[in-house]
Amino acid sequence: MTRVKMPSVNPGLLSLLLFALPKAVNAVNDVDAGFDPYAASQVMVDKSSHSWEWGTAAEALLELYNPELSVFGSNPFPNGKVPQADPSTTALAYAKQFINRNSQTLVNDTAVGDPASLGVSAILLGQSDSVYIGAANRESDFLLNVAPRWSNGAISHRPDVAELWADNMAMSFPFLAYLAVQHNDTSLMSLTVQQCGLQRAVLKGNSLSWQHIIGPQSQDTGLWSTSNGWAGYGMVRVLHTLQKWSGSASMTSQASQLKGWIKEILDGAIQSSLDSGLLRNYLNDGSWFGEISGTAVLSAVAYRMAVNDPNMFPQSYITWADSNRRSLAQKQNSGGLFSPAVNPYNWHDRTKYTAGSPEGQAFAVYLYTAYRDCVNAGICQA
Ligand SMILES: *[C@@H]1O[C@H](CO)[C@@H](O)[C@H](O)[C@H]1NC(C)=O
Ligand SMILES: *[C@@H]1O[C@H](CO)[C@@H](O)[C@H](O)[C@H]1NC(C)=O
Protein backbone atom coordinates (compact mmCIF):
# COMPACT_ATOMS: atom_id res chain seq x y z
CA MET A 1 0.00 0.00 0.00
CA THR A 2 2.79 2.35 0.64
CA ARG A 3 4.57 2.42 -2.62
CA VAL A 4 6.67 5.26 -1.25
CA LYS A 5 9.56 3.32 0.17
CA MET A 6 10.47 -0.28 0.78
CA PRO A 7 9.82 -1.42 4.34
CA SER A 8 12.53 -2.98 6.42
CA VAL A 9 13.04 -6.54 5.38
CA ASN A 10 12.72 -9.07 8.17
CA PRO A 11 15.32 -11.83 8.40
CA GLY A 12 12.46 -14.20 7.69
CA LEU A 13 12.45 -13.06 4.10
CA LEU A 14 15.30 -15.41 3.36
CA SER A 15 13.36 -18.42 4.51
CA LEU A 16 10.34 -17.11 2.65
CA LEU A 17 12.11 -17.80 -0.59
CA LEU A 18 12.05 -21.47 0.33
CA PHE A 19 8.49 -21.53 1.63
CA ALA A 20 6.95 -24.42 -0.28
CA LEU A 21 3.21 -24.89 0.11
CA PRO A 22 1.36 -28.20 0.24
CA LYS A 23 -0.23 -28.92 -3.13
CA ALA A 24 -3.78 -29.63 -2.06
CA VAL A 25 -5.16 -30.72 1.26
CA ASN A 26 -8.85 -29.90 1.24
CA ALA A 27 -9.74 -32.67 -1.18
CA VAL A 28 -13.14 -33.10 0.45
CA ASN A 29 -14.14 -29.49 -0.02
CA ASP A 30 -12.30 -28.67 -3.22
CA VAL A 31 -14.25 -27.70 -6.32
CA ASP A 32 -13.31 -27.04 -9.93
CA ALA A 33 -13.23 -23.25 -10.36
CA GLY A 34 -11.57 -23.47 -13.77
CA PHE A 35 -8.14 -22.48 -12.43
CA ASP A 36 -5.57 -23.79 -9.97
CA PRO A 37 -5.64 -21.93 -6.61
CA TYR A 38 -2.73 -23.94 -5.21
CA ALA A 39 -0.40 -22.95 -8.05
CA ALA A 40 -1.70 -19.38 -7.69
CA SER A 41 -0.86 -19.36 -4.00
CA GLN A 42 2.68 -20.62 -4.56
CA VAL A 43 3.29 -17.69 -6.96
CA MET A 44 1.73 -15.39 -4.35
CA VAL A 45 4.13 -16.58 -1.66
CA ASP A 46 7.14 -16.47 -3.99
CA LYS A 47 6.44 -12.87 -5.06
CA SER A 48 5.31 -11.28 -1.78
CA SER A 49 7.85 -8.89 -0.25
CA HIS A 50 5.93 -6.11 1.55
CA SER A 51 3.94 -6.02 4.77
CA TRP A 52 0.50 -5.75 3.17
CA GLU A 53 1.36 -8.54 0.75
CA TRP A 54 2.39 -10.86 3.60
CA GLY A 55 -0.81 -10.17 5.50
CA THR A 56 -2.99 -10.53 2.41
CA ALA A 57 -1.22 -13.78 1.54
CA ALA A 58 -1.59 -15.15 5.08
CA GLU A 59 -5.36 -14.57 4.92
CA ALA A 60 -5.47 -16.36 1.55
CA LEU A 61 -3.56 -19.34 2.94
CA LEU A 62 -5.87 -19.53 5.96
CA GLU A 63 -8.97 -19.55 3.75
CA LEU A 64 -7.41 -22.09 1.38
CA TYR A 65 -5.86 -24.61 3.81
CA ASN A 66 -7.68 -24.05 7.10
CA PRO A 67 -11.07 -22.55 6.27
CA GLU A 68 -12.46 -23.68 9.63
CA LEU A 69 -10.12 -21.19 11.33
CA SER A 70 -11.11 -18.27 9.09
CA VAL A 71 -14.12 -16.08 9.85
CA PHE A 72 -15.87 -17.81 6.94
CA GLY A 73 -15.87 -21.13 8.80
CA SER A 74 -19.08 -22.44 10.34
CA ASN A 75 -17.94 -21.85 13.93
CA PRO A 76 -14.80 -19.68 13.95
CA PHE A 77 -15.28 -18.57 17.59
CA PRO A 78 -16.10 -21.63 19.71
CA ASN A 79 -17.51 -20.52 23.08
CA GLY A 80 -17.15 -16.92 21.94
CA LYS A 81 -13.37 -17.16 21.72
CA VAL A 82 -10.61 -17.10 19.12
CA PRO A 83 -9.86 -20.75 18.26
CA GLN A 84 -6.85 -22.67 19.54
CA ALA A 85 -4.88 -22.69 16.31
CA ASP A 86 -1.86 -24.90 15.70
CA PRO A 87 1.03 -22.50 14.96
CA SER A 88 2.37 -24.96 12.40
CA THR A 89 -0.65 -24.54 10.12
CA THR A 90 0.43 -23.26 6.74
CA ALA A 91 -0.89 -19.71 7.09
CA LEU A 92 0.50 -19.17 10.57
CA ALA A 93 3.93 -20.67 9.89
CA TYR A 94 4.07 -18.39 6.87
CA ALA A 95 3.01 -15.25 8.74
CA LYS A 96 5.15 -15.86 11.82
CA GLN A 97 8.43 -15.20 10.02
CA PHE A 98 7.45 -11.58 9.30
CA ILE A 99 5.93 -10.46 12.61
CA ASN A 100 7.90 -8.26 15.00
CA ARG A 101 7.65 -9.68 18.52
CA ASN A 102 8.71 -6.55 20.41
CA SER A 103 7.99 -3.41 18.37
CA GLN A 104 5.17 -0.89 18.27
CA THR A 105 3.93 -2.32 14.97
CA LEU A 106 3.85 -5.84 13.57
CA VAL A 107 6.22 -4.88 10.75
CA ASN A 108 8.37 -1.74 10.51
CA ASP A 109 6.73 0.10 7.68
CA THR A 110 6.05 3.54 6.26
CA ALA A 111 2.26 3.11 6.17
CA VAL A 112 -0.09 3.02 9.14
CA GLY A 113 -2.41 0.24 8.07
CA ASP A 114 -0.24 -2.22 6.18
CA PRO A 115 1.43 -4.00 9.15
CA ALA A 116 -2.02 -4.54 10.67
CA SER A 117 -2.79 -6.88 7.77
CA LEU A 118 -0.78 -9.47 9.75
CA GLY A 119 -2.86 -8.84 12.86
CA VAL A 120 -5.29 -11.75 12.58
CA SER A 121 -2.31 -14.09 12.13
CA ALA A 122 -0.67 -12.57 15.21
CA ILE A 123 -3.79 -13.15 17.31
CA LEU A 124 -4.06 -16.76 16.13
CA LEU A 125 -0.36 -17.30 16.92
CA GLY A 126 -1.07 -15.67 20.27
CA GLN A 127 -3.30 -18.56 21.31
CA SER A 128 -0.17 -20.66 21.86
CA ASP A 129 2.38 -17.88 22.50
CA SER A 130 1.18 -14.79 24.36
CA VAL A 131 4.08 -12.73 22.98
CA TYR A 132 1.97 -12.37 19.83
CA ILE A 133 -1.00 -11.00 21.78
CA GLY A 134 1.32 -8.34 23.15
CA ALA A 135 2.43 -7.54 19.61
CA ALA A 136 -1.20 -7.32 18.46
CA ASN A 137 -2.06 -5.03 21.38
CA ARG A 138 0.79 -2.65 20.51
CA GLU A 139 -0.33 -2.63 16.88
CA SER A 140 -3.86 -1.68 17.91
CA ASP A 141 -2.50 1.01 20.24
CA PHE A 142 -0.66 2.47 17.26
CA LEU A 143 -3.80 2.47 15.10
CA LEU A 144 -6.13 3.83 17.77
CA ASN A 145 -3.89 6.21 19.72
CA VAL A 146 -0.88 7.21 17.62
CA ALA A 147 -1.95 7.41 13.97
CA PRO A 148 -3.31 10.78 12.74
CA ARG A 149 -7.06 11.19 12.28
CA TRP A 150 -9.12 12.81 9.56
CA SER A 151 -11.32 15.68 10.79
CA ASN A 152 -14.25 13.27 11.19
CA GLY A 153 -12.15 10.86 13.27
CA ALA A 154 -11.27 8.33 10.54
CA ILE A 155 -7.87 6.68 11.13
CA SER A 156 -5.23 7.85 8.63
CA HIS A 157 -3.32 5.41 6.44
CA ARG A 158 -0.26 7.68 6.61
CA PRO A 159 1.76 8.28 9.78
CA ASP A 160 2.80 11.89 9.06
CA VAL A 161 -0.40 13.43 7.69
CA ALA A 162 -4.10 12.59 7.81
CA GLU A 163 -4.78 10.78 4.55
CA LEU A 164 -7.37 8.06 3.92
CA TRP A 165 -6.79 5.15 1.55
CA ALA A 166 -9.53 2.68 0.63
CA ASP A 167 -6.81 0.03 0.75
CA ASN A 168 -6.66 0.36 4.53
CA MET A 169 -10.15 -1.14 4.80
CA ALA A 170 -8.59 -4.59 4.31
CA MET A 171 -5.67 -3.94 6.65
CA SER A 172 -6.69 -2.29 9.93
CA PHE A 173 -10.36 -3.15 10.34
CA PRO A 174 -10.52 -6.94 9.95
CA PHE A 175 -7.73 -6.97 12.55
CA LEU A 176 -9.49 -4.65 15.00
CA ALA A 177 -12.72 -6.66 14.70
CA TYR A 178 -10.80 -9.86 15.42
CA LEU A 179 -9.01 -8.22 18.36
CA ALA A 180 -12.43 -7.32 19.76
CA VAL A 181 -13.17 -11.06 19.95
CA GLN A 182 -9.79 -11.76 21.54
CA HIS A 183 -10.50 -9.21 24.30
CA ASN A 184 -14.25 -9.82 24.53
CA ASP A 185 -14.64 -6.13 23.78
CA THR A 186 -17.94 -5.13 22.19
CA SER A 187 -16.93 -1.46 22.28
CA LEU A 188 -13.98 -2.21 20.01
CA MET A 189 -16.30 -4.10 17.64
CA SER A 190 -18.64 -1.08 17.52
CA LEU A 191 -15.72 1.28 17.03
CA THR A 192 -14.49 -0.84 14.12
CA VAL A 193 -17.82 -0.63 12.31
CA GLN A 194 -18.00 3.08 13.07
CA GLN A 195 -14.52 3.50 11.54
CA CYS A 196 -15.69 1.75 8.36
CA GLY A 197 -18.47 4.34 8.14
CA LEU A 198 -16.09 7.25 8.77
CA GLN A 199 -13.73 6.02 6.04
CA ARG A 200 -16.69 5.66 3.68
CA ALA A 201 -17.94 9.16 4.49
CA VAL A 202 -14.72 10.60 3.06
CA LEU A 203 -13.82 8.09 0.34
CA LYS A 204 -17.18 7.44 -1.28
CA GLY A 205 -17.76 10.32 -3.66
CA ASN A 206 -20.88 10.89 -5.69
CA SER A 207 -20.91 7.44 -7.25
CA LEU A 208 -21.46 4.03 -5.70
CA SER A 209 -17.75 3.20 -5.94
CA TRP A 210 -15.10 4.55 -3.60
CA GLN A 211 -12.32 6.93 -4.51
CA HIS A 212 -8.84 5.56 -3.92
CA ILE A 213 -7.07 8.18 -1.75
CA ILE A 214 -8.19 11.45 -0.16
CA GLY A 215 -5.49 13.55 1.47
CA PRO A 216 -2.58 15.92 0.94
CA GLN A 217 0.16 13.50 -0.19
CA SER A 218 -1.05 11.03 -2.79
CA GLN A 219 -4.63 12.05 -3.53
CA ASP A 220 -6.27 9.88 -6.19
CA THR A 221 -9.96 10.58 -6.68
CA GLY A 222 -10.20 7.83 -9.32
CA LEU A 223 -12.31 4.74 -8.66
CA TRP A 224 -9.43 2.29 -8.47
CA SER A 225 -10.78 -1.21 -9.00
CA THR A 226 -8.31 -2.85 -6.62
CA SER A 227 -9.04 -0.39 -3.80
CA ASN A 228 -12.77 -0.95 -4.15
CA GLY A 229 -11.92 -4.61 -3.71
CA TRP A 230 -9.82 -3.88 -0.62
CA ALA A 231 -12.74 -1.94 0.83
CA GLY A 232 -15.35 -4.52 -0.09
CA TYR A 233 -13.41 -7.57 1.07
CA GLY A 234 -12.24 -5.81 4.22
CA MET A 235 -15.83 -5.07 5.19
CA VAL A 236 -16.88 -8.62 4.29
CA ARG A 237 -14.33 -9.86 6.84
CA VAL A 238 -15.47 -7.35 9.48
CA LEU A 239 -19.09 -8.38 8.86
CA HIS A 240 -18.39 -12.11 9.28
CA THR A 241 -16.31 -11.50 12.40
CA LEU A 242 -19.15 -9.50 13.91
CA GLN A 243 -21.90 -11.95 12.93
CA LYS A 244 -20.11 -15.12 14.03
CA TRP A 245 -19.05 -13.87 17.44
CA SER A 246 -21.62 -14.40 20.16
CA GLY A 247 -20.49 -11.19 21.87
CA SER A 248 -21.85 -9.06 19.03
CA ALA A 249 -24.96 -11.12 18.33
CA SER A 250 -27.15 -8.12 19.10
CA MET A 251 -25.28 -5.77 16.75
CA THR A 252 -27.70 -6.37 13.89
CA SER A 253 -27.96 -2.70 12.93
CA GLN A 254 -24.19 -2.53 12.47
CA ALA A 255 -24.32 -5.70 10.35
CA SER A 256 -27.00 -4.10 8.18
CA GLN A 257 -24.89 -0.99 7.75
CA LEU A 258 -21.90 -3.03 6.62
CA LYS A 259 -24.03 -5.00 4.15
CA GLY A 260 -25.35 -1.79 2.66
CA TRP A 261 -21.86 -0.36 2.25
CA ILE A 262 -20.63 -3.59 0.64
CA LYS A 263 -23.62 -3.61 -1.72
CA GLU A 264 -22.82 -0.09 -2.93
CA ILE A 265 -19.32 -1.19 -3.88
CA LEU A 266 -20.55 -4.32 -5.65
CA ASP A 267 -23.28 -2.46 -7.51
CA GLY A 268 -20.74 0.14 -8.61
CA ALA A 269 -18.49 -2.60 -9.97
CA ILE A 270 -21.34 -4.48 -11.66
CA GLN A 271 -22.38 -1.31 -13.50
CA SER A 272 -18.82 -0.81 -14.82
CA SER A 273 -17.77 -1.77 -18.32
CA LEU A 274 -15.39 -4.65 -18.98
CA ASP A 275 -12.36 -5.05 -21.23
CA SER A 276 -11.47 -8.62 -22.27
CA GLY A 277 -13.92 -9.89 -19.67
CA LEU A 278 -12.18 -8.03 -16.84
CA LEU A 279 -12.95 -4.89 -14.84
CA ARG A 280 -10.92 -1.90 -15.92
CA ASN A 281 -8.17 -0.62 -13.63
CA TYR A 282 -10.26 2.50 -12.97
CA LEU A 283 -13.92 1.53 -12.96
CA ASN A 284 -15.32 4.58 -14.68
CA ASP A 285 -12.57 5.09 -17.25
CA GLY A 286 -12.79 3.40 -20.66
CA SER A 287 -9.20 4.33 -21.46
CA TRP A 288 -7.95 1.72 -18.97
CA PHE A 289 -7.24 -1.96 -19.69
CA GLY A 290 -9.07 -4.76 -17.94
CA GLU A 291 -6.97 -6.44 -15.25
CA ILE A 292 -7.14 -9.41 -12.94
CA SER A 293 -6.62 -7.98 -9.44
CA GLY A 294 -9.73 -5.87 -8.94
CA THR A 295 -11.83 -8.32 -10.94
CA ALA A 296 -10.85 -11.26 -8.74
CA VAL A 297 -11.32 -9.60 -5.37
CA LEU A 298 -14.63 -7.92 -6.23
CA SER A 299 -15.96 -11.22 -7.60
CA ALA A 300 -14.92 -12.87 -4.34
CA VAL A 301 -16.94 -10.23 -2.49
CA ALA A 302 -19.99 -11.15 -4.61
CA TYR A 303 -19.72 -14.87 -3.80
CA ARG A 304 -19.23 -14.20 -0.09
CA MET A 305 -22.29 -11.97 0.08
CA ALA A 306 -24.42 -14.36 -1.98
CA VAL A 307 -23.86 -16.88 0.81
CA ASN A 308 -24.17 -14.34 3.61
CA ASP A 309 -27.50 -12.84 2.51
CA PRO A 310 -29.10 -14.49 -0.54
CA ASN A 311 -32.08 -12.13 -0.44
CA MET A 312 -30.00 -8.99 -0.57
CA PHE A 313 -27.43 -10.53 -2.98
CA PRO A 314 -29.49 -12.79 -5.30
CA GLN A 315 -28.57 -14.82 -8.35
CA SER A 316 -27.59 -11.77 -10.43
CA TYR A 317 -24.53 -11.29 -8.20
CA ILE A 318 -23.53 -14.94 -8.68
CA THR A 319 -24.04 -14.71 -12.43
CA TRP A 320 -21.76 -11.67 -12.57
CA ALA A 321 -19.07 -13.37 -10.47
CA ASP A 322 -19.33 -16.61 -12.50
CA SER A 323 -18.76 -14.70 -15.71
CA ASN A 324 -15.73 -12.93 -14.27
CA ARG A 325 -14.38 -16.20 -12.88
CA ARG A 326 -14.54 -17.83 -16.32
CA SER A 327 -12.69 -14.87 -17.83
CA LEU A 328 -10.07 -15.04 -15.10
CA ALA A 329 -9.56 -18.77 -15.62
CA GLN A 330 -8.32 -17.91 -19.12
CA LYS A 331 -5.72 -15.54 -17.66
CA GLN A 332 -3.75 -18.07 -15.58
CA ASN A 333 -0.64 -19.57 -17.14
CA SER A 334 0.63 -23.11 -16.54
CA GLY A 335 2.87 -21.81 -13.73
CA GLY A 336 -0.12 -20.48 -11.79
CA LEU A 337 0.46 -16.79 -12.62
CA PHE A 338 -2.46 -14.51 -13.53
CA SER A 339 -2.03 -11.59 -15.94
CA PRO A 340 -2.53 -8.88 -16.95
CA ALA A 341 -2.65 -7.19 -13.56
CA VAL A 342 -2.24 -3.55 -12.71
CA ASN A 343 1.27 -2.78 -11.47
CA PRO A 344 0.74 -3.26 -7.71
CA TYR A 345 3.39 -0.63 -6.92
CA ASN A 346 2.09 2.05 -9.29
CA TRP A 347 -1.62 2.12 -10.00
CA HIS A 348 -1.17 4.80 -12.68
CA ASP A 349 1.15 2.58 -14.78
CA ARG A 350 -0.38 2.05 -18.24
CA THR A 351 1.86 -0.97 -18.90
CA LYS A 352 0.15 -4.28 -18.16
CA TYR A 353 1.90 -6.06 -15.28
CA THR A 354 2.72 -9.63 -16.23
CA ALA A 355 5.41 -10.54 -13.67
CA GLY A 356 2.91 -11.77 -11.08
CA SER A 357 1.18 -9.33 -8.73
CA PRO A 358 1.36 -10.68 -5.17
CA GLU A 359 -1.96 -9.09 -4.21
CA GLY A 360 -3.53 -10.14 -7.51
CA GLN A 361 -2.48 -13.75 -6.88
CA ALA A 362 -3.95 -13.55 -3.37
CA PHE A 363 -7.19 -12.15 -4.77
CA ALA A 364 -7.42 -15.14 -7.12
CA VAL A 365 -7.15 -17.39 -4.06
CA TYR A 366 -9.90 -15.35 -2.33
CA LEU A 367 -12.02 -15.83 -5.44
CA TYR A 368 -11.44 -19.56 -5.28
CA THR A 369 -12.22 -19.93 -1.58
CA ALA A 370 -15.31 -17.74 -1.89
CA TYR A 371 -16.57 -19.79 -4.84
CA ARG A 372 -15.68 -23.08 -3.13
CA ASP A 373 -17.61 -22.10 -0.02
CA CYS A 374 -20.57 -20.91 -2.12
CA VAL A 375 -20.73 -24.24 -3.99
CA ASN A 376 -20.41 -26.22 -0.77
CA ALA A 377 -23.20 -24.12 0.76
CA GLY A 378 -25.44 -25.23 -2.12
CA ILE A 379 -25.90 -21.66 -3.33
CA CYS A 380 -23.52 -21.54 -6.33
CA GLN A 381 -23.55 -24.04 -9.18
CA ALA A 382 -20.47 -26.30 -9.44
C1 LIG B 1 11.79 -2.28 14.08
O1 LIG B 1 11.90 -1.05 14.74
C2 LIG B 1 12.19 -1.20 16.14
C3 LIG B 1 12.14 0.17 16.78
O2 LIG B 1 12.82 1.13 16.01
C4 LIG B 1 13.57 -1.86 16.29
O3 LIG B 1 13.85 -2.06 17.65
C5 LIG B 1 13.53 -3.23 15.59
O4 LIG B 1 14.79 -3.81 15.63
C6 LIG B 1 13.06 -3.07 14.16
N1 LIG B 1 12.86 -4.41 13.61
C7 LIG B 1 13.27 -4.78 12.39
C8 LIG B 1 12.97 -6.17 12.02
O5 LIG B 1 13.86 -4.04 11.65
C1 LIG C 1 -17.52 -11.69 27.65
O1 LIG C 1 -18.09 -10.70 28.46
C2 LIG C 1 -19.44 -10.97 28.78
C3 LIG C 1 -20.02 -9.74 29.48
O2 LIG C 1 -19.21 -9.35 30.53
C4 LIG C 1 -19.52 -12.22 29.61
O3 LIG C 1 -20.85 -12.54 29.92
C5 LIG C 1 -18.92 -13.39 28.78
O4 LIG C 1 -18.89 -14.56 29.55
C6 LIG C 1 -17.54 -13.04 28.31
N1 LIG C 1 -17.11 -14.07 27.38
C7 LIG C 1 -15.93 -14.65 27.45
C8 LIG C 1 -15.65 -15.65 26.37
O5 LIG C 1 -15.13 -14.41 28.29
Side-chain angles (χ1 to χ4, degrees):
M1 232 61 31
T2 169
R3 282 76 175 182
V4 176
K5 153 165 132 38
M6 294 285 283
S8 306
V9 173
N10 285 9
L13 185 55
L14 296 175
S15 56
L16 160 76
L17 299 174
L18 302 171
F19 201 93
L21 297 170
K23 289 299 173 220
V25 293
N26 284 312
V28 175
N29 292 325
D30 271 335
V31 299
D32 179 4
F35 62 89
D36 183 346
Y38 296 96
S41 64
Q42 185 65 58
V43 176
M44 167 188 81
V45 161
D46 291 346
K47 303 277 181 186
S48 292
S49 61
H50 301 76
S51 59
W52 82 88
E53 295 168 345
W54 297 327
T56 302
E59 171 66 18
L61 296 175
L62 194 70
E63 294 180 16
L64 185 61
Y65 290 102
N66 293 93
E68 74 286 355
L69 293 176
S70 87
V71 294
F72 303 114
S74 61
N75 185 20
F77 303 120
N79 303 313
K81 293 181 178 168
V82 171
Q84 289 298 321
D86 182 339
S88 71
T89 58
T90 301
L92 301 183
Y94 171 76
K96 188 174 182 177
Q97 55 190 332
F98 307 115
I99 297 175
N100 285 340
R101 295 162 55 93
N102 54 9
S103 301
Q104 169 87 76
T105 57
L106 296 173
V107 180
N108 294 0
D109 205 321
T110 55
V112 167
D114 294 348
S117 66
L118 283 158
V120 169
S121 299
I123 294 167
L124 284 165
L125 288 164
Q127 306 311 304
S128 55
D129 182 350
S130 62
V131 162
Y132 289 93
I133 299 298
N137 289 342
R138 286 189 298 278
E139 177 65 55
S140 76
D141 176 63
F142 182 72
L143 296 175
L144 298 173
N145 302 320
V146 179
R149 299 287 186 113
W150 194 257
S151 54
N152 72 350
I155 296 170
S156 173
H157 190 56
R158 304 300 313 169
D160 45 352
V161 294
E163 181 165 280
L164 305 189
W165 295 44
D167 314 35
N168 192 24
M169 296 299 292
M171 312 297 149
S172 294
F173 306 110
F175 159 61
L176 290 175
Y178 208 78
L179 193 69
V181 180
Q182 170 65 30
H183 293 316
N184 196 18
D185 184 345
T186 51
S187 305
L188 181 56
M189 186 66 81
S190 290
L191 182 151
T192 303
V193 178
Q194 183 190 39
Q195 272 293 324
C196 293
L198 295 173
Q199 304 277 333
R200 172 184 169 278
V202 177
L203 289 166
K204 182 183 171 299
N206 296 322
S207 70
L208 292 166
S209 304
W210 287 26
Q211 301 168 102
H212 182 198
I213 301 169
I214 297 294
Q217 276 177 351
S218 307
Q219 179 150 300
D220 177 11
T221 57
L223 312 179
W224 191 36
S225 173
T226 293
S227 69
N228 275 270
W230 290 124
Y233 207 73
M235 288 194 286
V236 163
R237 290 174 61 197
V238 172
L239 173 67
H240 284 76
T241 310
L242 183 157
Q243 289 178 317
K244 294 192 175 182
W245 178 44
S246 52
S248 43
S250 66
M251 292 174 58
T252 51
S253 64
Q254 284 96 331
S256 296
Q257 280 185 311
L258 286 166
K259 287 187 201 179
W261 299 335
I262 295 164
K263 185 170 185 293
E264 289 169 347
I265 287 175
L266 273 182
D267 290 348
I270 289 170
Q271 291 169 20
S272 301
S273 67
L274 304 177
D275 169 51
S276 305
L278 302 175
L279 289 168
R280 298 176 192 278
N281 186 44
Y282 282 85
L283 293 174
N284 58 341
D285 187 342
S287 72
W288 273 98
F289 58 84
E291 65 85 44
I292 62 100
S293 296
T295 307
V297 64
L298 286 161
S299 302
V301 171
Y303 283 135
R304 289 295 181 195
M305 294 313 296
V307 175
N308 185 280
D309 190 338
N311 291 319
M312 190 167 174
F313 300 88
Q315 179 61 40
S316 57
Y317 290 84
I318 296 175
T319 302
W320 180 74
D322 281 343
S323 171
N324 294 340
R325 177 173 52 80
R326 291 192 190 100
S327 298
L328 283 159
Q330 305 303 313
K331 312 295 183 187
Q332 187 185 38
N333 74 14
S334 59
L337 186 153
F338 285 86
S339 72
V342 62
N343 181 343
Y345 312 108
N346 178 6
W347 46 88
H348 293 307
D349 190 346
R350 293 271 177 179
T351 305
K352 294 176 177 176
Y353 195 81
T354 58
S357 162
E359 64 202 36
Q361 295 293 124
F363 294 157
V365 177
Y366 292 171
L367 174 63
Y368 172 77
T369 57
Y371 174 66
R372 175 199 65 196
D373 294 353
C374 188
V375 169
N376 289 328
I379 291 171
C380 289
Q381 297 286 317

Short mmCIF file of all heavy atoms in Angstrom, two decimals, residues 8-11 100 102-103 108, ligand 1:
data_model
loop_
_atom_site.label_atom_id
_atom_site.label_comp_id
_atom_site.label_asym_id
_atom_site.label_seq_id
_atom_site.Cartn_x
_atom_site.Cartn_y
_atom_site.Cartn_z
N SER A 8 11.42 -2.16 5.97
CA SER A 8 12.53 -2.98 6.42
C SER A 8 12.23 -4.43 6.11
O SER A 8 11.11 -4.89 6.23
CB SER A 8 12.71 -2.84 7.94
OG SER A 8 12.84 -1.49 8.27
N VAL A 9 13.24 -5.14 5.73
CA VAL A 9 13.04 -6.54 5.38
C VAL A 9 13.39 -7.39 6.60
O VAL A 9 14.49 -7.28 7.13
CB VAL A 9 13.91 -6.92 4.17
CG1 VAL A 9 13.82 -8.40 3.92
CG2 VAL A 9 13.46 -6.13 2.96
N ASN A 10 12.45 -8.19 7.03
CA ASN A 10 12.72 -9.07 8.17
C ASN A 10 13.67 -10.19 7.75
O ASN A 10 13.69 -10.59 6.59
CB ASN A 10 11.41 -9.71 8.64
CG ASN A 10 10.55 -8.72 9.40
OD1 ASN A 10 10.83 -7.53 9.44
ND2 ASN A 10 9.49 -9.20 10.00
N PRO A 11 14.44 -10.70 8.72
CA PRO A 11 15.32 -11.83 8.40
C PRO A 11 14.54 -13.00 7.80
O PRO A 11 15.07 -13.77 7.01
CB PRO A 11 15.92 -12.21 9.74
CG PRO A 11 15.71 -11.02 10.63
CD PRO A 11 14.52 -10.30 10.12
N ASN A 100 7.07 -8.76 13.90
CA ASN A 100 7.90 -8.26 15.00
C ASN A 100 7.30 -8.72 16.33
O ASN A 100 6.11 -8.54 16.56
CB ASN A 100 7.92 -6.73 15.02
CG ASN A 100 8.78 -6.12 13.93
OD1 ASN A 100 9.66 -6.79 13.38
ND2 ASN A 100 8.53 -4.86 13.63
N ASN A 102 8.49 -7.53 19.34
CA ASN A 102 8.71 -6.55 20.41
C ASN A 102 8.79 -5.12 19.89
O ASN A 102 9.56 -4.33 20.41
CB ASN A 102 9.99 -6.92 21.18
CG ASN A 102 11.18 -7.05 20.24
OD1 ASN A 102 11.07 -6.71 19.05
ND2 ASN A 102 12.29 -7.52 20.74
N SER A 103 8.01 -4.78 18.88
CA SER A 103 7.99 -3.41 18.37
C SER A 103 6.59 -2.82 18.50
O SER A 103 5.64 -3.52 18.84
CB SER A 103 8.41 -3.37 16.90
OG SER A 103 9.69 -3.92 16.75
N ASN A 108 7.93 -3.14 10.64
CA ASN A 108 8.37 -1.74 10.51
C ASN A 108 8.05 -1.29 9.10
O ASN A 108 8.52 -1.87 8.14
CB ASN A 108 9.88 -1.64 10.75
CG ASN A 108 10.26 -1.99 12.18
OD1 ASN A 108 9.40 -2.32 12.99
ND2 ASN A 108 11.53 -1.91 12.49
C1 LIG B 1 11.79 -2.28 14.08
O1 LIG B 1 11.90 -1.05 14.74
C2 LIG B 1 12.19 -1.20 16.14
C3 LIG B 1 12.14 0.17 16.78
O2 LIG B 1 12.82 1.13 16.01
C4 LIG B 1 13.57 -1.86 16.29
O3 LIG B 1 13.85 -2.06 17.65
C5 LIG B 1 13.53 -3.23 15.59
O4 LIG B 1 14.79 -3.81 15.63
C6 LIG B 1 13.06 -3.07 14.16
N1 LIG B 1 12.86 -4.41 13.61
C7 LIG B 1 13.27 -4.78 12.39
C8 LIG B 1 12.97 -6.17 12.02
O5 LIG B 1 13.86 -4.04 11.65
#
